[in-house]
Amino acid sequence: MRVAYYKGCLASLSAKELDSSTQALAPRLGIELEELESVTCCGAGDIHEAEPDYYLHLNARILAYAEATGCETLMTICNVCTLNLRQANFQLQGDDALRVRVSENLEKVGAPPYGGTVEVKHLLWLIAEGDGYERLKQVAHKGLKGLKVAPFYGCQILRPSKLLGFEDPDRPWSLEAIIEACGGEPVDYPAKVKCCGFPIIQAREETALGELIQPVQQSIEAGADAMVTPCPLCHLSLDAWQSKLEAQTGQRFEMPILHLSQLVGVAAGLEDSELKFKRHVVSVEPVLEKLEAP
Amino acid sequence: MDVALKIWRYDPDSGERELRHFEVEAPEWACLLDVLDIVKDQVDGTLAYRKSCRMMICGSCGMRMDGRAVLACKERMKPIVERGHVPVVSAMGNMPVLKDLVVDMQPFWTKIRTMKPWLDTGYEEVPEHGEFIHSQEEMNPIHKEALCIMCGCCVSECNSMESDPEFFGPAALAKGFRFVGDPRDRTKIERLERYNDEHGIWDCTRCYFCNERCPKGVDPRDAIAKLGAESIRVGIDRDMGAKHAKWFVHSAKTTGWLRETELVPKTQGVAAAIKETKFALNLFKHGKVPLPFPPHVAKNVQEARALHELVGAQGRDGAAGIVQGERALARIEHTEHGGVQRDAPAVTPGEPTPHAEG
Ligand code: SF4
Ligand code: SF4
Ligand code: SF4
Ligand code: SF4
Ligand code: FES
């Protein structure tokens, strides 16, 4: 399957490990990536809030470049990109007058117009069911050897379900299915569908940390060896801001946080240079040691 | 049909909580509220819950079923019974429980009142020239927000409110936009100033639980985005949240990609950024703070820049940019299973719906 690949800003900048592991993993899962070069940030909900009409145009431009590749699917690797692009796509697909206006503007600045034919899908959805899932089971031969993994979905891959709609936002199953296919053991905890606080971690740190602590603490209580998330923003708060939680509570957490592509990548035997665990703030060493133990 | 359900009871006198199992005979068309009525009538008269209209308009019967806030009079029991599922019913979250399924809505009303939930036209008596005529188009921007029945379902699972109980919350802020977007109101700036409070617009963590839960399609999170867009449009951008949002716009039109390294000083100011040095250095060590030079620039970024200018001159700035896309979003209908029916036929108000029969 050939897909247009939109990596978003974080995977180009502070989460390069997400991009390298995705690029290495995709061909093994039968996904051929057509990387989009002329695209910008989707705006992360911030441009939607600051200048919504500009948000719509930026996202339409991304969709238009994806359409120009001839692919039916635009693959994302970030929750926030997924929601932003799907929201714009639903608006443009469902309202011809709006799409015509936006397309005309795109053409005026030299970008392709958008015909409304692209579907936006997260990598998670491509490998959680159907052919992708079958391939995943074959590829994950190295296995996670019963590693206990806490799935953390994050908000914007689940809600609002009328825009995302892949699974029940209150009882999701996709990450669990993937953990199992990789030979790991999913652990359950209530905050797996809640917010990590990232969108307000700078403007309202205290409120954000009050949210962030819940999944971290609960997954530790549930006995997890590691957490996995499909979103680089969740990853950033769970991984990089964990030290702030430790400073605040005086507790040691040291909970390793894996990107989805890294978790599957470990099970599929990707190289260190592709997984790039050194780029994490919280060490992933304990997980790797556990997997190497006889 | 035989309906089984479990209810979390709470007795304020003893302070005890208890999960009670009930089984009753109910008609096929029964909703959760009907079943509670039968329980109260036939099994246990001390069960406490609120209700009035029984038709999704008074907003009294908000409660949780299997952890999600719902209107009891909206939830049909038949599909649940057919699945063989025994649902757990409990009181809404983020508000103190008074008894069983009844919560104290006082904090909710206090926040609604903070919004000044009435029209301020700037005059007390009808002016000499008589009435003002407003067109449908002028009122359309607040159509969704005006649908709110103040049931509290959106507040129940609001993640920011769990962490900051003083957060105004989704219902109050949606109410706020209902007046900010009303062409008859003359106090828009004063309102936006008030809603830009520490516990206002920028305290929302975008968890989207409110949009997910609202039984009336108000989409409070979208209303909050509209308030943010209006605030920035009129120049009320002192909040770190507003500065953060503006930096994304600036990044997109200059380099195409988020200029992450400068995000903290641009949002919090240089002094705060220096205070964060130790934290930042640790992130830097792991490549989490990419160097600002040379900036990472997207190919053909001049298109994004030109778009910004072009779009800026077309008059759909502020909330209008969100409102213009709502017609398409409203057409996405839910199926019975909570999934999405993507090719749902369009529904025009006033016309019978295509699937009215059967
Ligand atoms: S959501 Fe984030 S990571 Fe994704 S492209 Fe947009 S800003 Fe970048
Ligand atoms: S909303 Fe208006 S029409 Fe409906 S019950 Fe209230 S007063 Fe009557
Ligand atoms: S916004 Fe929706 S959920 Fe919230 S109080 Fe109003 S009707 Fe209820
Ligand atoms: S999106 Fe904002 S207002 Fe809505 S529930 Fe989440 S934090 Fe609360
Ligand atoms: S009883 Fe009035 S909304 Fe349910």
Side-chain angles (χ1 to χ4, degrees):
Chain A
M1 171 193 218
R2 205 170 68 97
V3 299
Y5 171 46
Y6 177 69
K7 61 181 167 187
C9 338
L10 250 70
S12 322
L13 300 167
S14 62
K16 291 200 178 77
E17 69 279 7
L18 169 61
D19 180 42
S20 61
S21 52
T22 304
Q23 302 251 20
L25 183 65
R28 304 187 188 208
L29 293 167
I31 304 173
E32 192 192 324
L33 302 179
E34 183 87 34
E35 190 172 337
L36 298 177
E37 284 179 347
S38 297
V39 291
T40 62
C41 169
C42 71
D46 277 79
I47 300 185
H48 179 251
E49 183 151 15
E51 296 185 14
D53 199 23
Y54 188 44
Y55 144 80
L56 185 62
H57 282 79
L58 282 180
N59 283 266
R61 187 171 167 276
I62 300 167
L63 292 162
Y65 275 109
E67 193 173 56
T69 65
C71 300
E72 283 167 16
T73 303
L74 171 57
M75 186 185 95
T76 51
I77 49 173
C78 164
N79 287 6
V80 183
C81 303
T82 310
L83 174 60
N84 276 276
L85 284 160
R86 283 182 71 86
Q87 174 168 278
N89 203 24
F90 269 110
Q91 293 173 333
L92 296 163
Q93 288 177 333
D95 186 335
D96 293 340
L98 186 64
R99 195 179 64 250
V100 168
R101 171 182 169 246
V102 171
S103 277
E104 280 174 8
N105 285 337
L106 290 179
E107 287 189 287
K108 272 184 212 156
V109 302
Y114 181 49
T117 63
V118 171
E119 265 285 341
V120 180
K121 290 184 184 159
H122 192 291
L123 168 69
L124 172 68
W125 302 347
L126 294 178
I127 61 175
E129 62 177 14
D131 285 348
Y133 191 62
E134 294 309 315
R135 290 289 287 251
L136 169 65
K137 281 193 281 192
Q138 292 161 14
V139 164
H141 60 276
K142 263 193 89 183
L144 294 176
K145 298 185 179 165
L147 191 78
K148 290 197 168 134
V149 185
F152 182 75
Y153 284 87
C155 306
Q156 300 187 17
I157 192 86
L158 298 172
R159 292 176 299 272
S161 63
K162 72 173 179 181
L163 288 173
L164 296 150
F166 179 78
E167 55 195 326
D168 181 337
D170 295 297
R171 313 272 181 279
W173 52 267
S174 57
L175 280 173
E176 281 86 345
I178 291 170
I179 294 167
E180 274 173 8
C182 293
E185 189 190 315
V187 304
D188 201 18
Y189 62 104
K192 71 179 180 185
V193 297
K194 290 174 76 175
C195 187
C196 70
F198 188 80
I200 51 170
I201 212 153
Q202 292 196 8
R204 297 289 186 281
E205 187 172 282
E206 211 177 310
T207 309
L209 291 181
E211 294 167 25
L212 181 60
I213 193 157
Q214 299 180 30
V216 175
Q217 213 156 36
Q218 289 179 13
S219 55
I220 289 171
E221 279 160 19
D225 299 311
M227 293 176 77
V228 65
T229 171
C231 178
L233 304 176
C234 302
H235 187 277
L236 196 55
S237 54
L238 290 165
D239 179 51
W241 264 262
Q242 215 179 101
S243 64
K244 288 218 173 177
L245 290 181
E246 293 184 336
Q248 196 185 48
T249 60
Q251 286 170 271
R252 295 295 279 157
F253 295 128
E254 291 170 340
M255 171 59 76
I257 316 292
L258 272 63
H259 294 286
L260 173 62
S261 53
Q262 287 176 325
L263 183 89
V264 180
V266 171
L270 292 192
E271 303 293 325
D272 289 351
S273 62
E274 297 161 332
L275 295 166
K276 294 201 198 317
F277 283 130
K278 292 241 159 15
R279 296 181 51 86
H280 291 211
V281 176
V282 179
S283 170
V284 184
E285 240 5 88
V287 171
L288 302 176
E289 275 166 23
K290 213 163 176 167
L291 291 176
E292 273 154 25
Chain B
M1 62 184 174
D2 254 344
V3 186
L5 78 177
K6 293 179 188 165
I7 302 176
W8 273 108
R9 310 269 329 245
Y10 170 72
D11 178 357
D13 296 328
S14 67
E16 267 169 42
R17 277 190 98 211
E18 186 194 1
L19 188 62
R20 286 280 313 274
H21 186 101
F22 295 96
E23 246 176 280
V24 292
E25 176 62 28
E28 298 247 306
W29 44 258
C31 58
L32 174 58
L33 184 58
D34 296 319
V35 172
L36 294 178
D37 280 347
I38 296 171
V39 169
K40 190 173 174 79
D41 198 35
Q42 299 175 2
V43 187
D44 187 343
T46 67
L47 181 67
Y49 52 94
R50 284 201 183 100
K51 66 160 182 176
S52 177
C53 72
R54 299 184 297 122
M55 49 196 277
M56 299 178 273
I57 192 63
C58 74
S60 305
C61 64
M63 59 185 69
R64 275 175 170 165
M65 178 150 66
D66 291 328
R68 43 187 126 182
V70 296
L71 290 180
C73 66
K74 193 181 175 190
E75 296 301 304
R76 296 276 155 211
M77 296 307 283
K78 191 159 175 256
I80 298 173
V81 172
E82 278 169 354
R83 272 196 292 138
H85 178 62
V86 180
V88 176
V89 181
S90 55
M92 285 195 288
N94 274 332
M95 287 167 274
V97 183
L98 292 175
K99 185 176 184 224
D100 298 340
L101 305 176
V102 178
V103 293
D104 180 3
M105 299 275 289
Q106 206 47 53
F108 178 93
W109 299 120
T110 305
K111 287 169 185 171
I112 295 274
R113 244 174 252 128
T114 313
M115 296 293 115
K116 194 173 85 164
W118 58 83
L119 201 61
D120 192 337
T121 56
Y123 55 82
E124 309 247 303
E125 281 166 33
V126 181
E128 252 171 51
H129 63 79
E131 62 186 333
F132 292 93
I133 310 285
H134 281 276
S135 67
Q136 182 63 48
E137 282 67 44
E138 281 177 285
M139 299 308 285
N140 280 346
I142 53 166
H143 173 76
K144 283 174 87 170
E145 290 75 15
L147 296 173
C148 173
I149 58 172
M150 303 206 262
C151 61
C153 288
C154 54
V155 163
S156 172
E157 269 100 71
C158 173
N159 278 200
S160 278
M161 205 185 285
E162 264 177 33
S163 186
D164 171 17
E166 287 180 62
F167 173 42
F168 293 169
L173 288 167
K175 183 63 67 198
F177 186 74
R178 186 250 165 275
F179 292 101
V180 163
D182 192 316
R184 297 167 296 177
D185 198 88
R186 290 281 169 269
T187 56
K188 179 172 170 146
I189 301 291
E190 175 201 308
R191 286 182 188 278
L192 288 173
E193 289 284 358
R194 194 185 293 199
Y195 308 162
N196 268 266
D197 182 275
E198 187 194 342
H199 304 289
I201 304 173
W202 306 102
D203 207 10
C204 162
T205 190
R206 304 189 194 141
C207 70
Y208 282 90
F209 266 107
C210 51
N211 285 24
E212 191 63 39
R213 296 294 188 247
C214 175
K216 302 301 276 190
V218 172
D219 288 341
R221 166 59 220 166
D222 297 7
I224 296 170
K226 291 173 199 169
L227 288 173
E230 284 302 291
S231 301
I232 289 177
R233 188 170 76 85
V234 302
I236 304 175
D237 55 8
R238 60 175 183 276
D239 197 286
M240 283 196 273
K243 293 201 168 75
H244 190 265
K246 284 180 73 174
W247 186 247
F248 275 79
V249 177
H250 186 71
S251 300
K253 65 178 197 209
T254 50
T255 66
W257 293 109
L258 174 62
R259 294 163 59 171
E260 241 185 319
T261 315
E262 297 137 286
L263 186 60
V264 176
K266 291 295 171 188
T267 302
Q268 303 186 347
V270 175
I274 291 173
K275 209 180 77 208
E276 297 276 336
T277 311
K278 205 175 131 227
F279 178 65
L281 271 180
N282 190 28
L283 300 197
F284 183 75
K285 234 173 56 200
H286 297 274
K288 294 291 161 198
V289 187
L291 283 173
F293 303 105
H296 171 75
V297 179
K299 207 173 130 196
N300 292 330
V301 69
Q302 75 282 358
E303 290 176 15
R305 211 170 296 149
L307 262 183
H308 189 257
E309 246 170 65
L310 184 66
V311 166
Q314 292 181 347
R316 283 180 184 77
D317 46 352
I322 298 177
V323 172
Q324 67 175 344
E326 284 184 334
R327 218 176 62 83
L329 289 186
R331 281 167 54 178
I332 306 169
E333 293 184 6
H334 282 262
T335 63
E336 283 248 305
H337 314 286
V340 179
Q341 201 184 318
R342 291 211 171 77
D343 47 2
V347 178
T348 317
E351 273 174 27
T353 55
H355 20 240
E357 314 86 10

